[in-house]
């Protein structure tokens, strides 16, 4: 899998060079996909950087979206923030992970993984009562 993820990372990097800068949503999705490949390869700083960019670009897209699209993008944003929380938790920064999962919950509280992963991040800090809550 690592060889495939290495190639995918290179392909996503190339795609970013050729994508129209105005097409923010496509660029955000490529950053997210590259982050996933980097995460599987344990390239956590690069994965975190890509996820930050992806979420930032998605936020820009949300600002100009109509109501129906905005709802879908918020759901996507919550999922991406949760994934970013997992990446930073894998890096050992459980405090930042809690922050990201909490932000995801604030955007879309119906995403169960945000709740579960925030509990795990609290657990990583030995904050058992917060994890249980």
């Amino acid at each position: 899998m690592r060889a495939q993820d290495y190639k995918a990372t290179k392909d996503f990097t190339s795609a970013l060079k050729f994508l129209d800068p105005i097409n923010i949503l496509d660029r955000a999705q490529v950053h997210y996909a590259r982050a996933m490949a980097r995460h599987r390869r344990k390239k956590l700083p690069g994965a975190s950087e890509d996820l930050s960019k992806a979420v930032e670009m998605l936020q820009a897209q949300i600002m100009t979206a109509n109501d129906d699209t905005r709802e879908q993008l918020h759901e996507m944003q919550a999922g991406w923030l949760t994934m970013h929380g997992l990446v930073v938790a894998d890096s050992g920064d459980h405090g930042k992970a809690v922050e990201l999962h909490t932000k995801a919950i604030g955007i879309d509280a119906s995403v169960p993984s945000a709740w579960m992963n925030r509990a795990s991040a609290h657990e990583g800090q030995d904050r058992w009562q917060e994890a249980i809550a």
Side-chain angles (χ1 to χ4, degrees):
M1 174 86 95
R2 287 189 188 230
Q4 290 172 331
D5 287 326
Y6 177 77
K7 182 179 179 337
T9 301
K10 289 181 70 163
D11 290 346
F12 292 132
T13 300
S14 293
L16 286 168
K17 292 177 186 174
F18 295 105
L19 271 174
D20 185 345
I22 293 180
N23 195 337
I24 297 170
L25 186 56
D26 281 352
R27 294 182 69 76
Q29 289 173 324
V30 172
H31 275 287
Y32 180 81
R34 186 172 70 175
M36 297 302 89
R38 285 178 164 172
H39 184 236
R40 287 187 298 270
R41 292 176 54 225
K42 307 294 185 219
K43 304 295 183 186
L44 302 178
S48 182
E49 182 181 321
D50 272 334
L51 285 163
S52 290
K53 286 180 185 176
V55 169
E56 181 181 312
M57 290 175 177
L58 195 56
Q59 182 60 40
Q61 194 71 33
I62 288 168
M63 304 281 264
T64 61
N66 63 38
D67 289 342
D68 291 336
T69 303
R70 186 176 301 121
E71 186 176 324
Q72 292 173 340
L73 294 175
H74 273 134
E75 187 177 316
M76 183 185 296
Q77 184 182 35
W80 289 8
L81 283 165
T82 296
M83 190 64 216
H84 195 184
L86 289 173
V87 169
V88 298
D90 285 350
S91 299
D93 190 347
H94 297 285
K96 178 73 174 175
V98 168
E99 184 181 311
L100 289 164
H101 295 309
T102 300
K103 190 172 182 180
I105 291 165
I107 291 168
D108 187 348
S110 70
V111 177
S113 60
W115 293 93
M116 294 177 346
N117 292 325
R118 184 172 73 173
S120 293
H122 280 308
E123 188 179 357
Q125 296 176 303
D126 294 332
R127 296 173 64 191
W128 305 108
Q129 291 306 313
E130 290 92 338
I132 291 167

